[in-house]
Amino acid sequence: MNTSTMVSVVALVLGLSFGAGCVAPAGEEQAAGQQQLGAAPGAEGVWLSTEFSFGFCAGECVTTVSRDGAALELKACTHQGDCGRSNFATLTDKGSRRVTEIEGALGGVPLDARYGCPDCADGGATRVSLQRDDLVTSHKYEYPNAPEPLADLDCLVRELKLGLDTCTPGPLLQLSQGCTPR
């Protein structure tokens, strides 16, 4: 098996292990320097995108799932910026309700810009972009260790990513034609 195929298999296995059975991590203490931007009580939050990246990796090492309303896009890229694969889907009614629930819970929650040591020791990193009221905020953490406030969103996005990455429809998304599986 060549290196690229082996990396793809490992990435798929890692993705499968978190897609269906996400468990929120045990509670974490809030850090002193959390971003208060857009975190006023009652603030609305909107999930824009989540990027998964891995340092020591060959092939598709950076995968981004982004959202515009009910439209989803998965973009798979190399570290050199070659994005050879994009898949599209639409959130189902169930998927839209789940996103709305999670966004509502995130609206007024203070969040750090960084949690732990993302991409240290080549463990990978996750970066979430949110629009909280009129501000776009970015929150980066160690893959797969989502901090408590972002755990539900992380679990949902992993499930969406798995469907988009493997071209497998599910109760949360309806795939567009022309899907190219990993």
PDB file of all heavy atoms in Angstrom, residues 79-110:
ATOM      1  N   HIS A  79      -1.564  20.615   1.417  1.00  0.00           N
ATOM      2  CA  HIS A  79      -0.930  21.751   2.107  1.00  0.00           C
ATOM      3  C   HIS A  79      -0.442  22.807   1.124  1.00  0.00           C
ATOM      4  O   HIS A  79      -0.243  23.958   1.493  1.00  0.00           O
ATOM      5  CB  HIS A  79       0.234  21.280   2.980  1.00  0.00           C
ATOM      6  CG  HIS A  79      -0.200  20.685   4.275  1.00  0.00           C
ATOM      7  ND1 HIS A  79      -0.927  21.374   5.217  1.00  0.00           N
ATOM      8  CD2 HIS A  79      -0.027  19.434   4.773  1.00  0.00           C
ATOM      9  CE1 HIS A  79      -1.172  20.600   6.252  1.00  0.00           C
ATOM     10  NE2 HIS A  79      -0.634  19.407   5.995  1.00  0.00           N
ATOM     11  N   GLN A  80      -0.253  22.425  -0.120  1.00  0.00           N
ATOM     12  CA  GLN A  80       0.197  23.379  -1.131  1.00  0.00           C
ATOM     13  C   GLN A  80      -0.969  24.176  -1.719  1.00  0.00           C
ATOM     14  O   GLN A  80      -0.776  25.021  -2.578  1.00  0.00           O
ATOM     15  CB  GLN A  80       0.939  22.644  -2.266  1.00  0.00           C
ATOM     16  CG  GLN A  80       2.268  22.040  -1.856  1.00  0.00           C
ATOM     17  CD  GLN A  80       2.101  20.786  -1.006  1.00  0.00           C
ATOM     18  OE1 GLN A  80       1.174  20.015  -1.179  1.00  0.00           O
ATOM     19  NE2 GLN A  80       3.010  20.598  -0.051  1.00  0.00           N
ATOM     20  N   GLY A  81      -2.182  23.910  -1.263  1.00  0.00           N
ATOM     21  CA  GLY A  81      -3.339  24.673  -1.721  1.00  0.00           C
ATOM     22  C   GLY A  81      -4.058  24.089  -2.921  1.00  0.00           C
ATOM     23  O   GLY A  81      -4.983  24.697  -3.451  1.00  0.00           O
ATOM     24  N   ASP A  82      -3.654  22.891  -3.367  1.00  0.00           N
ATOM     25  CA  ASP A  82      -4.355  22.237  -4.470  1.00  0.00           C
ATOM     26  C   ASP A  82      -5.608  21.588  -3.913  1.00  0.00           C
ATOM     27  O   ASP A  82      -5.536  20.629  -3.152  1.00  0.00           O
ATOM     28  CB  ASP A  82      -3.456  21.178  -5.121  1.00  0.00           C
ATOM     29  CG  ASP A  82      -4.175  20.376  -6.193  1.00  0.00           C
ATOM     30  OD1 ASP A  82      -5.100  20.920  -6.826  1.00  0.00           O
ATOM     31  OD2 ASP A  82      -3.810  19.201  -6.387  1.00  0.00           O
ATOM     32  N   CYS A  83      -6.749  22.143  -4.274  1.00  0.00           N
ATOM     33  CA  CYS A  83      -8.036  21.633  -3.794  1.00  0.00           C
ATOM     34  C   CYS A  83      -8.679  20.822  -4.903  1.00  0.00           C
ATOM     35  O   CYS A  83      -9.455  21.334  -5.707  1.00  0.00           O
ATOM     36  CB  CYS A  83      -8.935  22.776  -3.351  1.00  0.00           C
ATOM     37  SG  CYS A  83      -8.204  23.768  -2.029  1.00  0.00           S
ATOM     38  N   GLY A  84      -8.319  19.547  -4.958  1.00  0.00           N
ATOM     39  CA  GLY A  84      -8.728  18.694  -6.053  1.00  0.00           C
ATOM     40  C   GLY A  84     -10.127  18.129  -5.941  1.00  0.00           C
ATOM     41  O   GLY A  84     -10.618  17.509  -6.871  1.00  0.00           O
ATOM     42  N   ARG A  85     -10.790  18.340  -4.824  1.00  0.00           N
ATOM     43  CA  ARG A  85     -12.103  17.725  -4.648  1.00  0.00           C
ATOM     44  C   ARG A  85     -13.015  18.642  -3.865  1.00  0.00           C
ATOM     45  O   ARG A  85     -12.647  19.173  -2.827  1.00  0.00           O
ATOM     46  CB  ARG A  85     -11.920  16.395  -3.906  1.00  0.00           C
ATOM     47  CG  ARG A  85     -13.104  15.501  -3.881  1.00  0.00           C
ATOM     48  CD  ARG A  85     -12.699  14.104  -3.411  1.00  0.00           C
ATOM     49  NE  ARG A  85     -12.170  14.104  -2.059  1.00  0.00           N
ATOM     50  CZ  ARG A  85     -12.893  13.859  -0.966  1.00  0.00           C
ATOM     51  NH1 ARG A  85     -14.166  13.579  -1.067  1.00  0.00           N
ATOM     52  NH2 ARG A  85     -12.325  13.884   0.221  1.00  0.00           N
ATOM     53  N   SER A  86     -14.212  18.847  -4.385  1.00  0.00           N
ATOM     54  CA  SER A  86     -15.267  19.588  -3.682  1.00  0.00           C
ATOM     55  C   SER A  86     -16.563  18.816  -3.822  1.00  0.00           C
ATOM     56  O   SER A  86     -16.910  18.379  -4.917  1.00  0.00           O
ATOM     57  CB  SER A  86     -15.462  20.989  -4.274  1.00  0.00           C
ATOM     58  OG  SER A  86     -14.369  21.821  -3.984  1.00  0.00           O
ATOM     59  N   ASN A  87     -17.249  18.621  -2.718  1.00  0.00           N
ATOM     60  CA  ASN A  87     -18.555  17.965  -2.719  1.00  0.00           C
ATOM     61  C   ASN A  87     -19.574  18.913  -2.106  1.00  0.00           C
ATOM     62  O   ASN A  87     -19.246  19.699  -1.213  1.00  0.00           O
ATOM     63  CB  ASN A  87     -18.503  16.645  -1.938  1.00  0.00           C
ATOM     64  CG  ASN A  87     -17.683  15.591  -2.646  1.00  0.00           C
ATOM     65  OD1 ASN A  87     -17.607  15.571  -3.872  1.00  0.00           O
ATOM     66  ND2 ASN A  87     -17.068  14.698  -1.888  1.00  0.00           N
ATOM     67  N   PHE A  88     -20.801  18.805  -2.583  1.00  0.00           N
ATOM     68  CA  PHE A  88     -21.856  19.715  -2.160  1.00  0.00           C
ATOM     69  C   PHE A  88     -23.058  18.939  -1.645  1.00  0.00           C
ATOM     70  O   PHE A  88     -23.318  17.814  -2.085  1.00  0.00           O
ATOM     71  CB  PHE A  88     -22.279  20.610  -3.333  1.00  0.00           C
ATOM     72  CG  PHE A  88     -21.148  21.437  -3.869  1.00  0.00           C
ATOM     73  CD1 PHE A  88     -20.337  20.952  -4.885  1.00  0.00           C
ATOM     74  CD2 PHE A  88     -20.880  22.686  -3.340  1.00  0.00           C
ATOM     75  CE1 PHE A  88     -19.279  21.703  -5.375  1.00  0.00           C
ATOM     76  CE2 PHE A  88     -19.821  23.443  -3.817  1.00  0.00           C
ATOM     77  CZ  PHE A  88     -19.017  22.948  -4.836  1.00  0.00           C
ATOM     78  N   ALA A  89     -23.789  19.554  -0.731  1.00  0.00           N
ATOM     79  CA  ALA A  89     -25.000  18.954  -0.181  1.00  0.00           C
ATOM     80  C   ALA A  89     -25.897  20.070   0.334  1.00  0.00           C
ATOM     81  O   ALA A  89     -25.489  21.240   0.394  1.00  0.00           O
ATOM     82  CB  ALA A  89     -24.657  17.985   0.953  1.00  0.00           C
ATOM     83  N   THR A  90     -27.098  19.684   0.701  1.00  0.00           N
ATOM     84  CA  THR A  90     -28.055  20.599   1.312  1.00  0.00           C
ATOM     85  C   THR A  90     -28.498  19.987   2.633  1.00  0.00           C
ATOM     86  O   THR A  90     -28.762  18.776   2.698  1.00  0.00           O
ATOM     87  CB  THR A  90     -29.285  20.794   0.395  1.00  0.00           C
ATOM     88  OG1 THR A  90     -28.832  21.252  -0.879  1.00  0.00           O
ATOM     89  CG2 THR A  90     -30.244  21.802   0.977  1.00  0.00           C
ATOM     90  N   LEU A  91     -28.577  20.800   3.659  1.00  0.00           N
ATOM     91  CA  LEU A  91     -29.089  20.315   4.932  1.00  0.00           C
ATOM     92  C   LEU A  91     -30.548  19.907   4.769  1.00  0.00           C
ATOM     93  O   LEU A  91     -31.325  20.601   4.111  1.00  0.00           O
ATOM     94  CB  LEU A  91     -29.001  21.404   6.005  1.00  0.00           C
ATOM     95  CG  LEU A  91     -27.623  21.751   6.546  1.00  0.00           C
ATOM     96  CD1 LEU A  91     -27.671  23.024   7.369  1.00  0.00           C
ATOM     97  CD2 LEU A  91     -27.065  20.597   7.379  1.00  0.00           C
ATOM     98  N   THR A  92     -30.924  18.789   5.376  1.00  0.00           N
ATOM     99  CA  THR A  92     -32.320  18.397   5.413  1.00  0.00           C
ATOM    100  C   THR A  92     -33.013  19.249   6.488  1.00  0.00           C
ATOM    101  O   THR A  92     -32.349  20.004   7.217  1.00  0.00           O
ATOM    102  CB  THR A  92     -32.463  16.910   5.783  1.00  0.00           C
ATOM    103  OG1 THR A  92     -31.905  16.723   7.092  1.00  0.00           O
ATOM    104  CG2 THR A  92     -31.761  16.014   4.763  1.00  0.00           C
ATOM    105  N   ASP A  93     -34.316  19.115   6.620  1.00  0.00           N
ATOM    106  CA  ASP A  93     -35.024  19.833   7.689  1.00  0.00           C
ATOM    107  C   ASP A  93     -34.457  19.451   9.049  1.00  0.00           C
ATOM    108  O   ASP A  93     -34.240  20.311   9.903  1.00  0.00           O
ATOM    109  CB  ASP A  93     -36.527  19.544   7.641  1.00  0.00           C
ATOM    110  CG  ASP A  93     -37.207  20.196   6.451  1.00  0.00           C
ATOM    111  OD1 ASP A  93     -36.632  21.133   5.861  1.00  0.00           O
ATOM    112  OD2 ASP A  93     -38.330  19.758   6.114  1.00  0.00           O
ATOM    113  N   LYS A  94     -34.190  18.156   9.241  1.00  0.00           N
ATOM    114  CA  LYS A  94     -33.608  17.693  10.506  1.00  0.00           C
ATOM    115  C   LYS A  94     -32.218  18.296  10.717  1.00  0.00           C
ATOM    116  O   LYS A  94     -31.884  18.735  11.817  1.00  0.00           O
ATOM    117  CB  LYS A  94     -33.529  16.166  10.514  1.00  0.00           C
ATOM    118  CG  LYS A  94     -32.984  15.598  11.803  1.00  0.00           C
ATOM    119  CD  LYS A  94     -32.977  14.076  11.804  1.00  0.00           C
ATOM    120  CE  LYS A  94     -32.444  13.553  13.119  1.00  0.00           C
ATOM    121  NZ  LYS A  94     -32.505  12.087  13.179  1.00  0.00           N
ATOM    122  N   GLY A  95     -31.408  18.326   9.661  1.00  0.00           N
ATOM    123  CA  GLY A  95     -30.073  18.917   9.752  1.00  0.00           C
ATOM    124  C   GLY A  95     -30.139  20.397  10.074  1.00  0.00           C
ATOM    125  O   GLY A  95     -29.376  20.901  10.909  1.00  0.00           O
ATOM    126  N   SER A  96     -31.047  21.117   9.425  1.00  0.00           N
ATOM    127  CA  SER A  96     -31.206  22.560   9.683  1.00  0.00           C
ATOM    128  C   SER A  96     -31.640  22.812  11.120  1.00  0.00           C
ATOM    129  O   SER A  96     -31.139  23.738  11.771  1.00  0.00           O
ATOM    130  CB  SER A  96     -32.234  23.158   8.725  1.00  0.00           C
ATOM    131  OG  SER A  96     -31.739  23.158   7.406  1.00  0.00           O
ATOM    132  N   ARG A  97     -32.566  21.993  11.626  1.00  0.00           N
ATOM    133  CA  ARG A  97     -33.003  22.157  13.028  1.00  0.00           C
ATOM    134  C   ARG A  97     -31.843  21.921  13.987  1.00  0.00           C
ATOM    135  O   ARG A  97     -31.676  22.658  14.954  1.00  0.00           O
ATOM    136  CB  ARG A  97     -34.160  21.201  13.343  1.00  0.00           C
ATOM    137  CG  ARG A  97     -35.496  21.653  12.804  1.00  0.00           C
ATOM    138  CD  ARG A  97     -36.654  20.843  13.382  1.00  0.00           C
ATOM    139  NE  ARG A  97     -36.515  19.404  13.170  1.00  0.00           N
ATOM    140  CZ  ARG A  97     -36.924  18.752  12.088  1.00  0.00           C
ATOM    141  NH1 ARG A  97     -37.487  19.415  11.095  1.00  0.00           N
ATOM    142  NH2 ARG A  97     -36.767  17.437  12.007  1.00  0.00           N
ATOM    143  N   ARG A  98     -31.034  20.907  13.707  1.00  0.00           N
ATOM    144  CA  ARG A  98     -29.898  20.594  14.591  1.00  0.00           C
ATOM    145  C   ARG A  98     -28.875  21.734  14.591  1.00  0.00           C
ATOM    146  O   ARG A  98     -28.379  22.127  15.642  1.00  0.00           O
ATOM    147  CB  ARG A  98     -29.247  19.280  14.153  1.00  0.00           C
ATOM    148  CG  ARG A  98     -28.178  18.806  15.085  1.00  0.00           C
ATOM    149  CD  ARG A  98     -28.755  18.354  16.425  1.00  0.00           C
ATOM    150  NE  ARG A  98     -27.658  17.949  17.283  1.00  0.00           N
ATOM    151  CZ  ARG A  98     -27.437  18.455  18.486  1.00  0.00           C
ATOM    152  NH1 ARG A  98     -28.263  19.337  18.996  1.00  0.00           N
ATOM    153  NH2 ARG A  98     -26.414  18.058  19.204  1.00  0.00           N
ATOM    154  N   VAL A  99     -28.569  22.268  13.409  1.00  0.00           N
ATOM    155  CA  VAL A  99     -27.637  23.400  13.316  1.00  0.00           C
ATOM    156  C   VAL A  99     -28.199  24.593  14.098  1.00  0.00           C
ATOM    157  O   VAL A  99     -27.485  25.236  14.867  1.00  0.00           O
ATOM    158  CB  VAL A  99     -27.358  23.784  11.849  1.00  0.00           C
ATOM    159  CG1 VAL A  99     -26.641  25.123  11.767  1.00  0.00           C
ATOM    160  CG2 VAL A  99     -26.533  22.716  11.155  1.00  0.00           C
ATOM    161  N   THR A 100     -29.468  24.877  13.932  1.00  0.00           N
ATOM    162  CA  THR A 100     -30.103  26.009  14.616  1.00  0.00           C
ATOM    163  C   THR A 100     -30.047  25.836  16.133  1.00  0.00           C
ATOM    164  O   THR A 100     -29.769  26.792  16.861  1.00  0.00           O
ATOM    165  CB  THR A 100     -31.558  26.180  14.136  1.00  0.00           C
ATOM    166  OG1 THR A 100     -31.540  26.430  12.726  1.00  0.00           O
ATOM    167  CG2 THR A 100     -32.253  27.319  14.851  1.00  0.00           C
ATOM    168  N   GLU A 101     -30.297  24.619  16.625  1.00  0.00           N
ATOM    169  CA  GLU A 101     -30.203  24.354  18.070  1.00  0.00           C
ATOM    170  C   GLU A 101     -28.807  24.659  18.597  1.00  0.00           C
ATOM    171  O   GLU A 101     -28.643  25.314  19.623  1.00  0.00           O
ATOM    172  CB  GLU A 101     -30.488  22.875  18.358  1.00  0.00           C
ATOM    173  CG  GLU A 101     -31.904  22.439  18.237  1.00  0.00           C
ATOM    174  CD  GLU A 101     -32.025  20.908  18.356  1.00  0.00           C
ATOM    175  OE1 GLU A 101     -31.042  20.242  18.786  1.00  0.00           O
ATOM    176  OE2 GLU A 101     -33.087  20.381  18.006  1.00  0.00           O
ATOM    177  N   ILE A 102     -27.807  24.154  17.896  1.00  0.00           N
ATOM    178  CA  ILE A 102     -26.420  24.323  18.333  1.00  0.00           C
ATOM    179  C   ILE A 102     -26.010  25.789  18.251  1.00  0.00           C
ATOM    180  O   ILE A 102     -25.369  26.314  19.165  1.00  0.00           O
ATOM    181  CB  ILE A 102     -25.480  23.423  17.516  1.00  0.00           C
ATOM    182  CG1 ILE A 102     -25.733  21.957  17.892  1.00  0.00           C
ATOM    183  CG2 ILE A 102     -24.017  23.794  17.737  1.00  0.00           C
ATOM    184  CD1 ILE A 102     -25.049  20.952  17.005  1.00  0.00           C
ATOM    185  N   GLU A 103     -26.392  26.465  17.177  1.00  0.00           N
ATOM    186  CA  GLU A 103     -26.072  27.891  17.049  1.00  0.00           C
ATOM    187  C   GLU A 103     -26.716  28.685  18.183  1.00  0.00           C
ATOM    188  O   GLU A 103     -26.082  29.579  18.746  1.00  0.00           O
ATOM    189  CB  GLU A 103     -26.561  28.427  15.702  1.00  0.00           C
ATOM    190  CG  GLU A 103     -25.746  27.941  14.543  1.00  0.00           C
ATOM    191  CD  GLU A 103     -26.303  28.380  13.204  1.00  0.00           C
ATOM    192  OE1 GLU A 103     -27.513  28.697  13.097  1.00  0.00           O
ATOM    193  OE2 GLU A 103     -25.510  28.413  12.243  1.00  0.00           O
ATOM    194  N   GLY A 104     -27.945  28.350  18.529  1.00  0.00           N
ATOM    195  CA  GLY A 104     -28.623  29.049  19.620  1.00  0.00           C
ATOM    196  C   GLY A 104     -27.887  28.883  20.937  1.00  0.00           C
ATOM    197  O   GLY A 104     -27.780  29.825  21.727  1.00  0.00           O
ATOM    198  N   ALA A 105     -27.371  27.694  21.172  1.00  0.00           N
ATOM    199  CA  ALA A 105     -26.637  27.429  22.410  1.00  0.00           C
ATOM    200  C   ALA A 105     -25.288  28.141  22.445  1.00  0.00           C
ATOM    201  O   ALA A 105     -24.766  28.426  23.523  1.00  0.00           O
ATOM    202  CB  ALA A 105     -26.432  25.925  22.571  1.00  0.00           C
ATOM    203  N   LEU A 106     -24.718  28.451  21.275  1.00  0.00           N
ATOM    204  CA  LEU A 106     -23.401  29.098  21.220  1.00  0.00           C
ATOM    205  C   LEU A 106     -23.463  30.620  21.252  1.00  0.00           C
ATOM    206  O   LEU A 106     -22.454  31.272  21.499  1.00  0.00           O
ATOM    207  CB  LEU A 106     -22.667  28.690  19.934  1.00  0.00           C
ATOM    208  CG  LEU A 106     -22.020  27.334  19.929  1.00  0.00           C
ATOM    209  CD1 LEU A 106     -21.463  27.027  18.550  1.00  0.00           C
ATOM    210  CD2 LEU A 106     -20.926  27.256  20.966  1.00  0.00           C
ATOM    211  N   GLY A 107     -24.616  31.191  20.979  1.00  0.00           N
ATOM    212  CA  GLY A 107     -24.736  32.632  20.802  1.00  0.00           C
ATOM    213  C   GLY A 107     -24.085  33.486  21.869  1.00  0.00           C
ATOM    214  O   GLY A 107     -23.286  34.355  21.577  1.00  0.00           O
ATOM    215  N   GLY A 108     -24.396  33.263  23.117  1.00  0.00           N
ATOM    216  CA  GLY A 108     -23.882  34.119  24.181  1.00  0.00           C
ATOM    217  C   GLY A 108     -22.754  33.517  24.982  1.00  0.00           C
ATOM    218  O   GLY A 108     -22.404  34.029  26.038  1.00  0.00           O
ATOM    219  N   VAL A 109     -22.150  32.439  24.498  1.00  0.00           N
ATOM    220  CA  VAL A 109     -21.093  31.751  25.233  1.00  0.00           C
ATOM    221  C   VAL A 109     -19.734  32.354  24.896  1.00  0.00           C
ATOM    222  O   VAL A 109     -19.366  32.441  23.730  1.00  0.00           O
ATOM    223  CB  VAL A 109     -21.093  30.238  24.869  1.00  0.00           C
ATOM    224  CG1 VAL A 109     -19.944  29.518  25.543  1.00  0.00           C
ATOM    225  CG2 VAL A 109     -22.417  29.610  25.232  1.00  0.00           C
ATOM    226  N   PRO A 110     -18.964  32.772  25.914  1.00  0.00           N
ATOM    227  CA  PRO A 110     -17.611  33.262  25.637  1.00  0.00           C
ATOM    228  C   PRO A 110     -16.713  32.108  25.189  1.00  0.00           C
ATOM    229  O   PRO A 110     -16.776  31.015  25.735  1.00  0.00           O
ATOM    230  CB  PRO A 110     -17.142  33.835  26.977  1.00  0.00           C
ATOM    231  CG  PRO A 110     -18.038  33.289  28.005  1.00  0.00           C
ATOM    232  CD  PRO A 110     -19.303  32.836  27.335  1.00  0.00           C
TER     233      PRO A 110
END
